[in-house]
Amino acid sequence: MAGQLAIVTGASTGIGFELARLCAREGYDLLIAADEPEIHDAAQKLRNEKDAGAIEALHVDLATTEGVDQLYAAAKGRPVNVLMANAGRGLGHAFLDQEWPRAREVIDTNVTGTTYLIHKVGRDMRQANQGRILITGSIAGFTPGSFQAVYNATKSYLNSFSFALREELRDTKVSVTCLMPGATETEFFARADMLDTKVGSEAKDDAAMVAKTGFDAMMKGEGDVVSGLKNKIQSAVANVTPAERLAKQHRQMAEPGTAKS
């Protein structure tokens, strides 16, 4: 993949960093972005990969139109061969107890910024009739997220959006893949203030494994992939379970004070 360009958002840690690492190992030039300065540390680590191409890091707020425009401009007009729209935020606790600026940031990052970036890069891919898009959705999108209401709703949006966009691009050589992980060992739960919950305190999937599952599915042109057998079962059950029951079950996982002792 030498000479090809991949953009990975939310790449400072976790699944995003592991996705970027896989691209580096395949020889892609990389443009990685996150809303925290650690993105520059991530870039340095990626430069140490044996077959890594040129790597540029951008510390930018992808919840804003200006931030997305800045990232798009940083590609300097180069064709984007791979776009991994992974940037995302979570937020625990009851919706009415959350501060509105934090709840809006989840929506602006997960939905508005992600959709805008895909709109800009996706148009270029369609014009060139080539490209791969990987969207990090979640199995959370199948469940009404009591005590994670906004986050789960944004992931439901992304899951749906990815399938719709894929169908619209069916007659082109642009593929759209949705990666749907479950709870993964990243900084997500600490940042979402959910360490005192059952889901925040129990064992989680390995970020590198999740990223490899998504990367491989993208390279094969698959429409979606749920990482891990447990998550596959959980998502299948969610499709046939009444929403009210799912919301009650989610409360048991995400309500503050349910952490394992």
Side-chain angles (χ1 to χ4, degrees):
M1 304 301 176
Q4 295 193 22
L5 177 63
I7 294 178
V8 186
T9 65
S12 56
T13 60
I15 296 171
F17 175 76
E18 297 298 340
L19 287 170
R21 195 206 300 267
L22 291 166
C23 288
R25 290 175 177 173
E26 292 293 328
Y28 284 97
D29 291 339
L30 270 166
L31 175 55
I32 60 174
D35 64 354
E36 51 194 6
E38 287 79 5
I39 192 66
H40 297 292
D41 297 330
Q44 192 54 49
K45 293 176 184 176
L46 294 170
R47 293 185 184 105
N48 293 330
E49 293 293 334
K50 179 181 176 182
D51 296 317
I55 297 174
E56 181 179 356
L58 197 63
H59 176 200
V60 65
D61 186 358
L62 296 173
T64 67
T65 299
E66 295 78 13
V68 173
D69 285 339
Q70 188 178 345
L71 174 58
Y72 181 77
K76 299 180 175 65
R78 286 186 62 182
V80 178
N81 303 95
V82 169
L83 171 61
M84 294 181 166
N86 172 78
R89 284 193 171 275
L91 186 60
H93 294 273
F95 172 65
L96 297 181
D97 293 335
Q98 295 167 351
E99 295 299 323
W100 172 244
R102 292 196 67 194
R104 178 172 178 172
E105 190 172 34
V106 173
I107 298 169
D108 288 345
T109 302
N110 299 6
V111 174
T112 310
T114 297
T115 307
Y116 180 41
L117 177 61
I118 293 171
H119 188 259
K120 292 180 75 70
V121 176
R123 279 187 162 186
D124 293 340
M125 287 182 171
R126 185 181 64 177
Q127 178 66 29
N129 199 31
Q130 67 81 29
R132 303 177 190 274
I133 299 172
L134 179 69
I135 300 171
T136 301
S138 175
I139 66 167
F142 298 121
T143 302
S146 309
F147 296 91
Q148 262 186 298
V150 173
Y151 172 77
N152 283 36
T154 65
K155 289 301 181 177
S156 180
Y157 169 88
L158 289 176
N159 293 352
S160 175
F161 174 74
S162 69
F163 284 112
L165 181 60
R166 178 180 174 84
E167 175 60 25
E168 291 177 6
L169 293 170
R170 182 180 60 182
D171 297 326
T172 74
K173 294 182 180 179
V174 180
S175 66
V176 181
T177 303
C178 187
L179 169 60
M180 301 178 185
T184 305
E185 196 61 58
T186 68
E187 298 295 320
F188 174 88
F189 292 96
R191 293 171 179 166
D193 195 20
M194 294 183 65
L195 294 181
D196 63 343
T197 66
K198 184 176 186 294
V199 67
S201 61
E202 65 183 8
K204 303 173 186 63
D205 294 332
D206 176 64
M209 178 276 292
V210 172
K212 184 68 163 58
T213 299
F215 184 88
D216 290 346
M218 179 194 71
M219 295 304 290
K220 293 175 184 176
E222 296 175 357
D224 67 290
V225 61
V226 176
S227 61
L229 177 60
K230 177 183 176 182
N231 297 323
K232 285 179 169 57
I233 295 172
Q234 186 175 333
S235 61
V237 170
N239 284 326
V240 296
T241 303
E244 185 175 4
R245 182 179 300 175
L246 289 172
K248 289 180 179 179
Q249 292 173 349
H250 198 278
R251 178 182 196 135
Q252 296 170 7
M253 297 292 295
E255 186 172 12
T258 57
K260 291 183 178 181
S261 57

